[in-house]
Amino acid sequence: MAAISVSEVDLLCPHCSEIYDLPVLLKCGHNICRVCLQKFWECKGCRECPVCRTVSVLGRPPINLPLKIAADKYQEQNTNNRNQEVCRLHNEKLKIFCHNDQEPICLVCQTSRLHKVHECSPVEEAAEQKKTEISAMLESLRKKLRLLNKTMVQWEETKTYIQSQASQCEEAIKEGFEKLHLFLREEEKSRLKLLKQEEQIKTQVMSEKLENIKDQIKTLSSTIGYIEADLRAKDLTFLQDYKQTKKRAKCNIKEPECIRDILIYSAKHLGLLKFGIWKKMANIVTCVPIILDPNTAQSNLKLSEELTCVQYSSKQLLPNNPERCTSRVCVLGATSFTFGKHSWTVDVGQGKDWYIGVAQDSIKRQSTAFLYPTEGFWVIGLCKGDSFWAQTLPRTKLVLKQKPERITVQLDYDKGKVVFINAGDLTKIHTFKDRFTERIFPYFSPGLCEDGKKCNPLKICPLTVKVDVE
């Protein structure tokens, strides 16, 4: 007999050993089926408990309702279980599994018209096979769950990095504007100083001229007073003083001069004020034809503040976003090209290992890739400080008269040409010819840095900024 669980034992009648059927509770605390109790009392001829022989008082024992509910529920579950194990059509045990309909059937079903030509197998064999199948599917789900959890962690890191990146950009923007504000404040200070100097000089000139004319007015007023007094004197007295009076009346004071250019030169200070400042700003700002994209930079690369210079540095904690190049120590330009002619000059300095050129959008950024045109790269480079190579397949050694410090990259997308020119003497270094079918990005790789030595950066040379008026 199969072992009975504890919960099932609790539901067995002590008299008939079956699941309780309408259990009643005796005064002594024992439970028993009501029918079993009546039969026991009729057989014994007394009202004692079948378990402990305690005699019960007169009256009908009450039904133990919680125990009845538990017994009924257990019976219902057992009935359902038995129904699940039995064929509904033939009331036979389900011993066969139909692979076509993917359901258990009985032996009669197997020989019936519905399943006669179907692939069938014993329940035990089918269960083992299907459990193996489901286990494989379960492992796939677990693998997907692990991937989702890993992705969630990466996305949390990316979210944190976005906030950090935004904060860094904000600081850089504020710093950039502060430099512009400083320039404007210094320019304002300089212009106000010039205005003040002009004011002081011209005020001093006018002060001196005013003092002079005041002295003239005082002298002339005094002379007029003397002459008016002489005119009021008696005739004889007047005539006696005539020579002196006539001498006084011959005033040698000149007419006031016409002072020119004494007003503030407002046209100089205010005329085209904004344009003049803007033109002067051309001396403090730089402009490059392309900038670097930090979202594509390998984690060991450090970019300058304005994203125009790259060099090898210590490793940074960066998100592994799809655009980032992790298989090679490189960074791409932020601007891509799909047509037209484009040109930029790179200052390679005294670097011993570097690669520059262009790469297409679909290059392998996070798996091993070779710098060949067949894999989307059109680049040249310097190896170990003494040998120049064009990364053709196979690669081509370049013979140069002098080691270039600045190299101009010319891209003609429509004609499929990439030309490298020594910016020092304008000699052509190498030309790639191909056919471009997708977006092309500038490519930069400054090479690794030897221990204890300063890394040589790659710099994008600025253009000449001019403010012209037509």
Side-chain angles (χ1 to χ4, degrees), residues 253-306:
I253 296 177
K254 297 179 181 180
E255 294 288 333
E257 67 176 300
C258 180
I259 305 175
R260 302 182 66 85
D261 298 326
I262 194 61
L263 299 181
I264 295 296
Y265 194 2
S266 300
K268 174 184 174 182
H269 297 291
L270 301 178
L272 299 177
L273 174 63
K274 297 175 183 176
F275 176 79
I277 296 173
W278 176 46
K279 188 173 182 179
K280 196 171 182 180
M281 287 181 70
N283 298 322
I284 67 166
V285 298
T286 58
C287 178
V288 294
I290 58 172
I291 57 174
L292 306 174
D293 184 359
N295 293 338
T296 67
Q298 195 265 353
S299 57
N300 284 98
L301 294 183
K302 180 181 179 181
L303 306 186
S304 64
E305 179 182 310
E306 293 194 343

Side-chain angles (χ1 to χ4, degrees), residues 83 96 107 122 124 132 137 148 245 341 398 441 450:
N83 290 339
I96 305 297
L107 291 172
E124 295 79 5
T132 302
M137 295 174 67
L148 290 175
T245 302
K341 296 180 180 180
L398 304 174
F441 290 86
E450 297 181 12

